[in-house]
Amino acid sequence: MSGIQRTTAEGRGPVRYGPPAPQPGLPVLPELTAVLAAAAWRSAPEPPGGGVPVRAAAARHWGRRGLPTDPDHVAAGPGAPALLLALLGAYGGDVMLPRPCPAWWTPQVRLLGRRAYHVPTPAECGGVPDPYALLETVRRVRAEGGDPRVLLLSVADDPTATVPPPELVREACEAAAAAGLFVVSDETWRDTVHRPHDTLVLSPAEMLPAETAVLLDLSGALLPAGWPAAVVRFPGTPHGTWLRARTLDVLTATGGFVAGPVAGAAAHALDEPAAVAGRAASAAALHGAVAAAAHRELLDAGALARPPQAGRHLYADLTPLRAGLARLGVGDAMELEDWLGGRLGAPTPGGQRFADEPVALRVRLSTGPLLGAGPEERLAALTAADPLELPHVRGSLDRLRAVLAGLSD
């Protein structure tokens, strides 16, 4: 297809591994450990789509966020990738995605043998495609024989760590509706917003309730990644009921069941008791403070980055430092990933993993490794009045500054 950015099952090599998702780097909350241990006697997995307790807890979770939900319109699975794969497999058609996008999205489409079409995001944020570019791309794809049916987006974005303004989400939803696209909104990072009182998060399900599914991986704010659990909210319509049933068929065929003890911990976390909610808020504030400090270091060195607003990472563009990187033999995102990761001692996946242009010198930096070398140091950062004053946090930021300083002309 001329002029269309796409990924097909045949277009690139197999996915051998992906970058690790940004981790909090914090010890597991003792209350959650106790809940998991109390359910360890459960030897059987949950039924396909999850049992009533976890689905009811997910419904209450969304209800507190202005999305009234019936537990019968919820499905649970062992992590967002398994749920997204099942959902896309059930729905059918090609998929529109923003560029850049989370590293695991495109492989899900590819594994199904579907085409993924990446649409540029606006200058001010990531997570959603530019509405006009979306409409034009859909028109061109269909004119050339493609079958786009789904728009996958995020209201709190990995990799860019930005939150799209409500008006942009609204315009993207209007464009999706005009193009006849079903929206899947990944809201995994919604509850990791750094300044929740200053940042308004709008879910597409508020705009297009009959044409939006909401995906939530609990590893974003509520559970450790080693306890895989995710939930998806389907529209409360006959079509939504059909789609949920088809999704459960795929989960059954692939063995996508939540482990019993993990389901108990997930239900507890989704109800957000004080300890869980407090840890989530404290962790988001900590990562926000460190991300803001890292952002300042990047700008001082002459690099570019959107101000981080959510999550445990930020997306850096080192293109202004291309001359200094070229002297070191670094000319694209893949080489930058290896070079910078080796010097920082932490994964720094390049933009090519997020469907970004490989020639652009962009990387995702995670804040977790900046919190300290072990659980004790990281827990100290969580409880400190000013984590940036701790020697081990300051030392991590100084190391970042030193590495970047060596790239100046």
Side-chain angles (χ1 to χ4, degrees), residues 282-293:
S282 297
L286 170 62
H287 285 281
V290 175

Side-chain angles (χ1 to χ4, degrees), residues 83-92 95 108-109 112 114 150 152 184:
L83 269 183
L84 181 63
L85 186 70
L87 175 58
L88 294 179
Y91 200 89
V95 183
Q108 302 299 100
V109 182
L112 292 167
R114 311 275 175 74
V150 176
L152 184 55
V184 178

Side-chain angles (χ1 to χ4, degrees), residues 119-120 122 129-139 168 171-172 174-175:
V119 182
D130 178 272
Y132 299 103
L134 174 63
L135 288 172
E136 175 60 16
T137 303
V138 170
R139 184 193 66 79
L168 185 57
E171 291 171 2
E174 291 172 350

Side-chain angles (χ1 to χ4, degrees), residues 16 34 111 147 180 233 277 407:
R16 292 183 175 85
L111 286 169
D147 184 27
R233 177 188 185 273
L407 303 177

Side-chain angles (χ1 to χ4, degrees), residues 113-127:
R114 311 275 175 74
R115 294 186 177 106
Y117 299 93
H118 295 93
V119 182
T121 57
E124 64 266 34
C125 66

Side-chain angles (χ1 to χ4, degrees), residues 100-312:
C101 67
W104 59 276
W105 282 5
T106 305
Q108 302 299 100
V109 182
R110 184 186 306 163
L111 286 169
L112 292 167
R114 311 275 175 74
R115 294 186 177 106
Y117 299 93
H118 295 93
V119 182
T121 57
E124 64 266 34
C125 66
V128 300
D130 178 272
Y132 299 103
L134 174 63
L135 288 172
E136 175 60 16
T137 303
V138 170
R139 184 193 66 79
R140 293 168 62 190
V141 167
R142 287 177 174 155
E144 298 184 16
D147 184 27
R149 299 188 201 175
V150 176
L151 170 62
L152 184 55
L153 55 76
S154 177
V155 297
D157 185 44
D158 169 24
T160 66
T162 58
V163 176
E167 59 271 18
L168 185 57
V169 176
R170 189 179 305 275
E171 291 171 2
C173 288
E174 291 172 350
L181 300 175
F182 184 79
V183 177
V184 178
S185 177
D186 183 352
E187 302 186 6
T188 293
W189 300 101
R190 174 174 182 153
D191 292 323
T192 66
V193 170
H194 301 158
R195 298 169 62 93
H197 298 296
D198 300 328
T199 308
L200 178 60
V201 181
L202 177 66
S203 172
E206 299 177 59
M207 286 285 301
L208 300 174
E211 294 296 331
T212 299
V214 178
L215 180 66
L216 172 65
D217 195 308
L218 274 64
S219 68
L222 299 175
L223 288 183
W227 304 359
V231 287
V232 61
R233 177 188 185 273
F234 294 91
T237 63
H239 183 259
T241 299
W242 170 87
L243 181 57
R244 179 180 182 273
R246 288 287 304 274
T247 300
L248 296 191
D249 288 343
V250 179
L251 289 172
T252 301
T254 57
F257 310 135
V258 182
V262 172
H268 184 82
L270 283 164
D271 272 331
E272 299 174 292
V276 172
R279 166 61 74 88
S282 297
L286 170 62
H287 285 281
V290 175
H295 182 252
R296 289 192 292 270
E297 299 292 354
L298 288 164
L299 297 187
D300 288 346
L304 302 173
R306 298 180 178 104
Q309 298 173 282
R312 303 186 280 261

